[in-house]
Amino acid sequence: MAESADGSSRTPSGWGYGTERLPVMLDELAGHGSGSVELPLDLAWSGLRVFDLGDVKLLLGLYRIVLNNGSRNDFVRYLNREHLVRHWPILRKMLGRRVRETWEDAFPELRRPGTA
């Protein structure tokens, strides 16, 4: 891994999951708070592509797909700050360690109490 000018770890390849993929602030997440969301084929290439945000299981599925496979632009477009923070305790269990740690290191408000 390379180190950025601010001393944080950066993953130089597209195969990694580094902080450069994340928004600068969670407030940038401008995704829908309700209704249905349709993901493009490059994110949801297998199975369901339309997700009803009123159904928590579908919302969690959408967020898992976007968090694991998305780019910074996808995060901003499809994720909603309030949903992410509210459902993070469940979502974090659905994500790989590297994804979970990258988001929690960048946004301490996502960490569970006592896991600083």
Side-chain angles (χ1 to χ4, degrees):
M1 268 193 253
E3 195 171 287
S4 68
D6 67 359
S8 63
S9 295
R10 308 288 279 184
T11 303
S13 79
W15 292 101
Y17 200 104
T19 56
E20 72 279 356
R21 289 178 66 179
L22 303 182
V24 175
M25 300 181 321
L26 288 181
D27 288 339
E28 291 181 54
L29 303 179
H32 293 287
S34 62
S36 293
V37 173
E38 182 175 357
L39 291 178
L41 279 172
D42 64 321
L43 281 177
W45 57 87
S46 168
L48 190 63
R49 290 187 48 219
V50 178
F51 300 83
D52 176 359
L53 299 180
D55 182 323
V56 174
K57 287 182 182 180
L58 293 177
L59 181 141
L60 292 172
L62 166 84
Y63 276 57
R64 182 185 55 78
I65 290 169
V66 174
L67 288 164
N68 281 319
N69 304 317
S71 66
R72 182 183 186 288
N73 290 337
D74 295 323
F75 301 147
V76 170
R77 180 175 182 183
Y78 297 110
L79 301 181
N80 173 282
R81 182 194 188 288
E82 288 75 29
H83 282 316
L84 182 69
V85 172
R86 180 181 316 124
H87 296 290
W88 188 256
I90 295 168
L91 279 167
R92 70 182 312 278
K93 298 173 188 174
M94 301 169 68
L95 303 169
R97 183 176 59 91
R98 183 68 181 133
V99 174
R100 178 178 61 247
E101 288 177 354
T102 299
W103 279 84
E104 289 179 350
D105 288 348
F107 306 109
E109 63 263 46
L110 294 177
R111 288 193 186 114
R112 292 180 296 170
T115 62

